[in-house]
Amino acid sequence: MPKQSRSRLLVPLALCVLLVLGGGVWVATALEARCGAAHVVVTASPDVAPVLSSAAQGLSTSCRTYEIRPRDTAQAVAGFGARGGDRGQVWVPDSTLALQWARRLGAADVPDSGPAVASSPVVLAVPEGTARGLGWPARTLTWTDVVDAPGAVLTTPDPRQDPVATVALAGLRDAVGSAPDPAGAFAAVLRRFTVSGGAAAAYPAAESAVVRHNAQTPAAPLVAVYSPGAPALDYPFARLTGANAEQSSAIDALEQAVLADGAALDRAGLRVPGHALAGHEGDQHVVAAGQRSAPLPSSADLQVLLSQWAGVNLDARVEVLLDVSGSMQARVPGTDLNRMQVTVAAARQALHLFRPSTQLGIWEFATGLDGPKDYREVLPLALVAQHLTEADLARLAAVRAIPDAGTGLYDTVLDLYGAARRDWRPGVLNVVIVMTDGRNEDANGISREAFLTGLTGLADPAHPLPVIAIGIGPTADEGELSAITAITGGGAYVTRDPTKIGEVFYAALAQVAGR
């Protein structure tokens, strides 16, 4: 073909190509405009983020894209609790607890629940050598076996920031539920744990974390020890408010895809909710069979758990006032002990449960106990570690009720509260604890009106110094004790059964510590 003819032919061909390509561009643009582009941002716990990424890859189109942002719980809660910022449309934390925490910080766009897309039991992770020393694998270990092991080094994430540690508190409480003094036993267990990321004989962890550790570090595997009393992580699929129609459709598709992608859950070491662990049958350090778990604690119960943790893990300056009036000689029904003996036993046990760096002093009071004063010192304010000597423990054990002595409540509380106010220290829990079985009986002391006025003058909400009053037995005046403690921001706790004084003591202290 002559060159000129070829040129004449190429021109219309080029025009045709341009028309076709141009039409293609127009068609693509029109289709994209017609489908309504949707971009969905998902904040996810790092352990479930790969599952969401896998599902999103299969759904992404020119009309629908997803961005998965791995965030640990503490980081995500802080982010959602802060105002403004790019919050996205979906949040999948490791636990519904995280949603509740964010809402308490003001995250109104965060729901308080969502459908669970995965599950992972919370276990105690124990190095294989330690587990073998406790009898594994010949016997199935319990949490009690682990925490009672002599010399065990127990650590935990911070229960105030990590749901794994929070729900582990519920499991630990369940483990000591049958003890004669459950609250005291729980406090003793909590004292054995320290917040640390270092080497430990055991620590709370998600089962999925144990699975991943064993796959990555087969030479140093961990054994998962399960508890039916510990709630599982539930990975709620939480839709934030504010998504448009196109985003809502994309979110629907993502949720369904995640629920259907069991293989991705298997790879991540997570369980389909209510099912066995799949894909890791070769790891004998975890139990693949379905596991029973407790429901999540209620908001009120959660606060109790966190308060109990705070009560035994905060440094404190504590003044304990022990009533030694004659009525403390009364026999406790069903025992060979009197009220004084069970009260002293509770105070002695407290020495072993406070942190060694806590400063604690103990006083006894009645009427006319030390000349004109109604009180005198048993143990001076000093580090608990210094009181755990035979001499100091013997001085405490020697405290006796004084026959015919009355209760010098007003003068004692006002004077010693004033001393504690003068010695108040920032950064620690400052508290005065009064343990009594009656009401003020000092006819020669300060009047009730003058006492309450004086106490009101000493109270300072900016520098908290609560009074915890523990009423013992049927003669304790709860109304009077409540009037005293309300002024100081404390609380009155009355037990008609003196054998429960230890339980009431630790619950009361923990409640004030958590405020």
Side-chain angles (χ1 to χ4, degrees), residues 40-46 52 67-112 236-242:
V40 174
V41 174
V42 181
T43 301
S45 178
L52 292 157
E67 179 184 347
I68 311 300
R69 297 176 178 175
R71 297 286 189 277
D72 65 36
T73 296
Q75 183 183 14
V77 167
F80 285 112
R83 296 190 177 187
D86 182 6
R87 305 168 72 82
Q89 290 72 46
V90 179
W91 181 20
V92 186
D94 52 3
S95 173
T96 297
L97 294 178
L99 305 179
Q100 298 170 3
W101 293 347
R103 287 180 63 83
R104 281 202 295 272
L105 292 178
D109 57 339
V110 174
D112 51 16
F237 191 93
R239 299 168 180 242
L240 279 63
T241 58

Side-chain angles (χ1 to χ4, degrees), residues 23 33 36 46 66 75 86 123 135 144 190 194 215 219 245 264 276 347 351 361 371 380 395 418 503 512:
Y66 299 89
Q75 183 183 14
D86 182 6
V123 303
T144 302
L190 295 184
T194 58
L351 290 174
R395 289 173 65 187
E503 183 175 342
V512 172

Side-chain angles (χ1 to χ4, degrees), residues 109-135:
D109 57 339
V110 174
D112 51 16
S113 63
V117 295
S119 177
S120 188
V122 171
V123 303
L124 289 182
V126 183
E128 183 183 55
T130 302
R132 290 189 181 279
L134 296 175

Side-chain angles (χ1 to χ4, degrees), residues 100 104 173 297-307 511:
Q100 298 170 3
R104 281 202 295 272
R173 183 179 60 183
S298 66
S299 295
D301 193 29
L302 176 65
Q303 186 58 44
V304 169
L305 286 169
L306 293 175
S307 295
Q511 185 69 24

Side-chain angles (χ1 to χ4, degrees), residues 324-408:
V324 294
S325 61
S327 58
M328 292 291 283
Q329 291 180 310
R331 188 69 54 187
V332 176
T335 75
D336 293 328
L337 305 174
N338 60 33
R339 295 175 188 169
M340 189 79 260
Q341 289 171 314
V342 296
T343 301
V344 168
R348 176 178 175 133
Q349 190 177 10
L351 290 174
H352 295 276
L353 295 177
F354 282 113
R355 290 169 60 93
S357 52
T358 283
Q359 291 184 299
L360 184 141
I362 297 180
W363 301 76
E364 58 183 358
F365 70 96
T367 50
L369 200 58
D370 185 12
K373 294 193 301 184
D374 290 340
Y375 54 89
R376 64 188 173 200
E377 187 178 78
V378 177
L379 296 177
L381 185 68
L383 295 177
V384 165
Q386 297 175 12
H387 287 318
L388 296 177
T389 62
E390 289 187 12
D392 277 9
L393 293 176
R395 289 173 65 187
L396 178 58
V399 171
R400 297 287 186 273
I402 300 173
D404 302 323
T407 304

Side-chain angles (χ1 to χ4, degrees), residues 317 319 415-425 430-432 465:
R317 289 172 63 86
E319 297 284 6
D415 285 359
L416 294 180
Y417 189 85
R421 168 60 66 204
R422 291 189 292 273
D423 290 338
W424 190 92
R425 295 290 184 272
N430 295 263
V431 63
V432 174
L465 178 57

Side-chain angles (χ1 to χ4, degrees), residues 252-329:
D252 289 341
L254 179 63
E255 181 182 345
Q256 294 304 314
V258 172
L259 291 171
D261 197 356
L265 290 175
D266 297 344
R267 291 192 297 272
L270 296 167
R271 297 173 181 242
V272 175
H275 289 71
L277 178 67
H280 301 277
E281 291 78 8
D283 187 353
Q284 300 304 309
H285 302 86
V286 295
V287 178
Q291 296 293 320
R292 291 188 298 114
S293 60
L296 282 174
S298 66
S299 295
D301 193 29
L302 176 65
Q303 186 58 44
V304 169
L305 286 169
L306 293 175
S307 295
Q308 289 172 320
W309 167 260
V312 297
N313 282 280
L314 286 179
D315 284 333
R317 289 172 63 86
V318 183
E319 297 284 6
V320 180
L321 318 183
L322 303 179
D323 183 353
V324 294
S325 61
S327 58
M328 292 291 283
Q329 291 180 310

